[in-house]
Amino acid sequence: MVSTVIPVQPFDLVIFGATGDLARRKILPSLYRRLAVHQIPAGARIIGAARAKMSRAEFRKEVSDALLEFIGEAGLDKALVEEFINGLDYVTVDATGDNGWGTLAKKLDEKPDHIRAFYLSVAPALFGDISDRLAKHGIATPASRIVVEKPLGKDLASAKALNAQLSRNFDEHQIYRIDHYLGKETVQNLMAIRFGNALFEPLWNSNYVDHVQITVAESIGVAGRGAYYDKSGAMRDMVQNHMMQLLCLTAMEPPSKFDPDAVRDEKLKVIRALEPLTIGDTVRGQYRPSSKEGGYLDHVGDPNSHTESFVALKVHISNWRWAGTPFYLRTGKKLGSRFSEIAVVFKAPPHTIFPQVEHHRGNALIIRLQPNEGITLRVTIKEPGQGGMRLTEVPLDMTFAEALGADGLMPEAYERLIMDVIRGDQTLFMRGDEVEAAWAWTDPIIRAWDDAGTKPLPYDQGSAGPIQSYKLTSSDGHLWREIEA
Ligand code: NAP
């Protein structure tokens, strides 16, 4: 079962910040992979842009090194790398000055028929400057697209300012706010499973769903980016964007059609139906030093920091579908493993006819984002063999890697999303009002934590976070799922 690849139209993709970490690690390798499966047509151009003075040949060498580093020699085909590299160009441009923009305009004008996309892989402080200069130099056309990365603000006010900056020169339908979680195969499959089957949707509500758990666990700490992280924390870095998107896709009503605004309207309704969080609905943590290395406070170099490297939340959605079903969210650094999943836990059967069964856990649909993207349905069956009517739980497993062909290679989320930009499909991108609504929900609790002045609770590295987070679920009679390796 290998999917058909439909080539996109010829395009010019300008990557601002093409020499930076994100471009080298994700964007350029993803583009190579799409070329390798023949989705990128001949003549498409990828134009790097940054302040560094570099010739086209030097840029090509840099990109070829990045492909080697992030894909590895075994994953590269010499002829395809050559073809990819030959489609690369470079301009020296300073986002905050006027140099280089004329050269860029001239290059793009050589191919007026190409789809034009600008990927802003630079600090958000430069978004306004770049967008203004694209307009001033006549480079932005009504059909061109602009792609921006998180962080999309640090609170509601800054998110509004950012949206206002972008909308000075681009219409909402031209703005692609990337959240790479939405590009993950399993996350899209969550929509397919819900809306492509009649099986689950009748059960997808508080009558049948006991609770939902969303976990995004990271095993790494913040060392190396401590200064940046300490200004943000788990709530801003993970919950406001990625986890809210997962929550929305799990909880939203079926859209009337699979089109960008229909899907995003439904997600927005979920955010707007979230009850305000109270401090009692939250547990914040900071990882302790271990025998091998320092803790969070050492990594950010501030012994008095109150920023959380872990947060667990109990979230309620005030609407007919979900009233009474808690959604538990949890994310953190230096946890037992790198592990992300959505678990929809169904209620136990109302009456058990099997006297041996003391405790029925109920079915659960587990959507695993990493590692090993896949979906599992936990069902109860009779234990095979003799010995009477003993029941056991088994997973019905759908591991997508196996379904994707011999090499089992899952497309990187960025591959799908960048091709969607070229296709002009915004379904898997956040709309401005969604981002603002998410900040409007997270701002008050962040302020409440600041006002309370309490320090996050310490937790051991390699654990599942502060033990107090278990109270969030156990007080409702629930138990967090294990953070599996
Ligand atoms: P980075 O490694 O610091 O790279 C920044 C890039 O911007 C460099 O190519 C730099 O090249 C260029 N640049 C800086 N100032 C410029 C200016 N005035 N005009 C033109 N170009 C300029 O940053 P990054 O990690 O790639 O991150 C880029 C964006 O993606 C940020 O918004 C970040 O928050 C976001 N993001 C990154 C990741 C990630 O994994 N890295 C993940 C999610 C989101 P020159 O110095 O030569 O100009």
Side-chain angles (χ1 to χ4, degrees):
M1 187 172 65
V2 180
S3 58
T4 324
V5 174
I6 302 169
V8 294
Q9 296 298 309
F11 64 87
D12 288 340
L13 173 66
V14 183
I15 306 173
F16 291 93
T19 55
D21 175 65
L22 182 69
R24 297 182 73 252
R25 219 156 38 82
K26 294 286 182 191
I27 304 171
L28 290 157
S30 295
L31 285 161
Y32 167 78
R33 290 202 183 94
R34 287 295 98 194
L35 179 104
V37 295
H38 312 293
Q39 193 162 29
I40 295 187
R45 297 185 301 175
I46 296 160
I47 304 173
R51 289 170 306 178
K53 289 197 169 58
M54 228 190 292
S55 66
R56 178 159 58 185
E58 283 165 332
F59 180 62
R60 288 176 171 177
K61 168 79 176 70
E62 279 231 346
V63 176
S64 134
D65 291 347
L67 296 184
L68 258 181
E69 187 177 347
F70 296 107
I71 296 182
E73 202 169 355
L76 296 171
D77 177 296
K78 231 174 154 196
L80 287 170
V81 171
E82 194 70 23
E83 188 184 335
F84 183 69
I85 297 296
N86 284 338
L88 297 174
D89 205 342
Y90 182 81
V91 277
T92 301
V93 164
D94 185 347
T96 59
D98 278 322
N99 288 342
W101 294 93
T103 314
L104 179 59
K106 226 155 110 193
K107 274 189 200 301
L108 292 171
D109 286 344
E110 288 163 11
K111 304 274 181 193
D113 298 337
H114 276 200
I115 290 167
R116 216 173 257 194
F118 311 106
Y119 199 131
L120 274 45
S121 182
V122 294
L126 298 175
F127 290 175
D129 282 313
I130 295 179
S131 143
D132 286 348
R133 284 185 168 77
L134 287 171
K136 178 176 162 190
H137 293 274
I139 302 172
T141 60
S144 56
R145 288 134 211 193
I146 189 161
V147 185
V148 291
E149 275 282 346
K150 82 163 195 184
L152 300 171
K154 61 179 176 51
D155 54 19
L156 177 58
S158 53
K160 279 188 169 170
L162 205 107
N163 280 340
Q165 273 179 350
L166 292 172
S167 59
R168 274 204 299 263
N169 307 305
F170 293 89
D171 280 344
E172 185 61 37
H173 76 268
Q174 297 176 274
I175 305 173
Y176 290 73
R177 296 176 190 79
I178 280 208
D179 184 327
H180 69 275
Y181 272 57
L182 294 181
K184 285 184 180 288
E185 192 79 7
T186 7
V187 173
Q188 295 164 54
N189 234 314
L190 172 58
M191 285 191 275
I193 290 250
R194 280 195 62 191
F195 307 130
N197 296 283
L199 186 62
F200 293 108
E201 206 46 31
L203 308 179
W204 210 261
N205 55 58
S206 60
N207 293 333
Y208 296 97
V209 176
D210 187 57
H211 68 281
V212 176
Q213 297 188 17
I214 304 179
T215 299
V216 176
E218 292 181 285
S219 52
I220 55 163
V222 301
R225 57 190 283 262
Y228 160 78
Y229 189 89
D230 201 40
K231 288 197 214 95
S232 167
M235 191 72 173
R236 288 190 172 99
D237 192 51
M238 274 289 172
V239 177
Q240 186 274 343
N241 37 65
H242 307 312
M243 297 188 82
M244 290 283 276
Q245 289 298 318
L246 301 182
L247 170 74
C248 286
L249 292 176
T250 310
M252 73 183 186
E253 294 299 314
S256 57
K257 48 189 174 209
F258 192 61
D259 99 353
D261 277 326
V263 171
R264 296 181 308 171
D265 284 348
E266 296 306 335
K267 287 198 290 161
L268 180 61
K269 283 185 209 161
V270 175
I271 305 176
R272 291 191 172 148
L274 296 176
E275 280 183 21
L277 285 169
T278 64
I279 287 188
D281 295 328
T282 70
V283 174
R284 296 189 313 142
Q286 278 177 348
Y287 59 85
R288 290 194 179 95
S290 71
S291 57
K292 294 199 198 101
E293 59 173 310
Y296 179 80
L297 299 175
D298 307 301
H299 287 167
V300 301
D302 176 2
N304 298 314
S305 169
H306 280 200
T307 305
E308 74 286 352
S309 61
F310 172 95
V311 69
L313 310 170
K314 177 160 44 172
V315 177
H316 292 285
I317 304 173
S318 287
N319 62 21
W320 272 56
R321 185 185 282 266
W322 293 118
T325 296
F327 282 65
Y328 302 107
L329 274 51
R330 154 181 80 154
T331 181
K333 302 268 184 202
K334 281 281 179 198
L335 298 180
S337 64
R338 179 166 177 263
F339 165 82
S340 303
E341 69 166 29
I342 303 168
V344 179
V345 182
F346 291 89
K347 290 185 175 166
H351 166 69
T352 177
I353 59 167
F354 305 108
Q356 311 79 322
V357 180
E358 281 171 21
H359 177 65
H360 227 302
R361 285 206 298 171
N363 302 111
L365 186 71
I366 319 295
I367 298 117
R368 222 173 28 245
L369 279 70
Q370 65 193 18
N372 309 326
E373 283 195 54
I375 296 185
T376 304
L377 180 65
R378 186 176 75 201
V379 291
T380 300
I381 60 160
K382 177 191 169 295
E383 210 173 270
Q386 301 298 320
M389 195 63 181
R390 284 199 302 257
L391 302 189
T392 186
E393 284 175 353
V394 292
L396 292 183
D397 237 316
M398 292 168 268
T399 305
F400 304 137
E402 284 164 16
L404 283 172
D407 61 1
L409 208 63
M410 293 290 284
E412 163 77 50
Y414 278 91
E415 294 177 43
R416 162 73 198 257
L417 294 173
I418 298 171
M419 290 301 100
D420 276 357
V421 172
I422 306 302
R423 281 189 285 255
D425 183 346
Q426 288 183 304
T427 311
L428 299 176
F429 295 82
M430 293 176 292
R431 212 168 51 192
D433 51 3
E434 259 184 274
V435 176
E436 290 182 16
W439 282 119
W441 182 71
T442 48
D443 273 2
I445 192 67
I446 295 173
R447 261 199 310 274
W449 290 332
D450 287 347
D451 292 347
T454 46
K455 268 186 86 83
L457 302 159
Y459 62 93
D460 288 340
Q461 295 187 27
S463 72
I467 45 170
Q468 289 83 346
S469 74
Y470 277 84
K471 260 194 106 176
L472 263 190
T473 49
S474 66
S475 59
D476 301 329
H478 301 135
L479 190 65
W480 284 115
R481 287 170 50 76
E482 298 252 320
I483 292 190
E484 292 168 14

